[in-house]
Amino acid sequence: MKINWNKNPLRTTVELTDGEKEVFRLKVRIEQLEDAVGMAALHLEEDGKRRKYFRPEKAMAHLQRVQKDDPDDEYCADLLHELESGYHFGDCTCVPTSCAKCHAESLLGIDTIDGLRKHAAHYVDGAFGRKDERSIDEAIQSLADHVPVRSGAWLELPQEQFDANVATWKKQAEEAHEWLTRYRDTRLNATEIA
């Protein structure tokens, strides 16, 4: 496995050998089988707290979905694509959706953004610009200089509401600044990556 650390940590990629890809495919398959068995068990519990979910036909549908010999290769291919060229986008960056890259990395037992909390990750994402045009040093500097600006939906709300959040936003930007500086110094071993 080779991790290609990117100036923007959310865009770090992972390369797998053919053998590692096969192991990854099998891990995806195991996860699918475990999910199906768990859902079947939920729908087969006749007593207890979950008896309201008792539906043997639903249990059978979950098991039949994974009974075929071929795993869902499209799903596995999507997860591999996320590892090889995707970027972190989802709960890990304060976007209300699951992050496929985080999921794929967790199946491998790695975390390319270890220690980066979601609010700070949101700031890191924005620090590189809309088209990832800023260098890492420019991104770090923008986080150091971060001043919240009242705009968008905040213009519809009272100034006091905005002001009540400024300290939190500055703290999150500071956390992002510290994390990204450590990332540059430990992962990139350089002070400037274009």
Side-chain angles (χ1 to χ4, degrees):
M1 175 184 328
K2 180 182 177 195
I3 298 176
N4 302 308
W5 301 104
N6 190 295
K7 69 170 183 171
N8 181 342
L10 303 176
R11 296 186 180 278
T12 291
T13 60
V14 179
E15 292 178 39
L16 301 179
T17 64
D18 288 342
E20 289 167 333
K21 286 179 183 179
E22 179 59 15
V23 169
F24 181 76
R25 185 189 70 76
L26 293 171
K27 287 182 177 197
V28 170
R29 181 67 172 150
I30 289 167
E31 179 187 56
Q32 291 171 332
L33 292 169
E34 288 174 342
D35 286 349
V37 168
M39 290 304 295
L42 171 74
H43 291 297
L44 291 174
E45 190 172 313
E46 293 182 77
D47 301 321
K49 295 178 185 177
R50 301 189 303 182
R51 68 180 173 269
K52 65 183 175 184
Y53 300 109
F54 181 72
R55 303 272 187 292
E57 66 283 356
K58 284 192 173 193
M60 190 57 134
H62 284 288
L63 294 174
Q64 286 173 337
R65 181 175 50 86
V66 294
Q67 187 177 18
K68 59 185 179 183
D69 291 332
D70 303 342
D72 185 350
D73 288 332
E74 186 176 334
Y75 176 64
C76 185
D78 288 345
L79 289 177
L80 274 173
H81 174 75
E82 287 299 320
L83 286 172
E84 296 171 342
S85 60
Y87 65 96
H88 286 280
F89 180 81
D91 293 332
C92 61
T93 59
C94 286
V95 176
T97 187
S98 297
C99 177
K101 189 168 189 71
C102 281
H103 181 68
E105 287 182 5
S106 73
L107 288 171
L108 291 174
I110 63 172
D111 183 354
T112 59
I113 57 170
D114 186 35
L116 182 61
R117 295 173 15 163
K118 66 182 181 179
H119 289 78
H122 178 76
Y123 282 95
V124 166
D125 190 29
F128 285 93
R130 289 180 189 238
K131 296 182 181 174
D132 215 31
E133 69 272 8
R134 292 185 185 144
S135 71
I136 191 164
D137 287 332
E138 290 170 326
I140 288 170
Q141 190 59 51
S142 76
L143 292 167
D145 298 337
H146 180 71
V147 176
V149 175
R150 189 170 176 230
S151 62
W154 283 105
L155 296 173
E156 309 280 326
L157 299 169
Q159 180 71 38
E160 302 82 47
Q161 261 186 296
F162 177 82
D163 292 342
N165 290 287
V166 168
T168 299
W169 294 330
K170 285 183 176 182
K171 185 174 178 3
Q172 291 166 349
E174 181 181 316
E175 182 183 327
H177 174 265
E178 291 170 5
W179 189 93
L180 191 57
T181 301
R182 268 192 318 277
Y183 172 83
R184 178 197 62 197
D185 296 345
T186 59
R187 294 294 188 198
L188 299 181
N189 288 329
T191 56
E192 177 70 35
I193 303 291

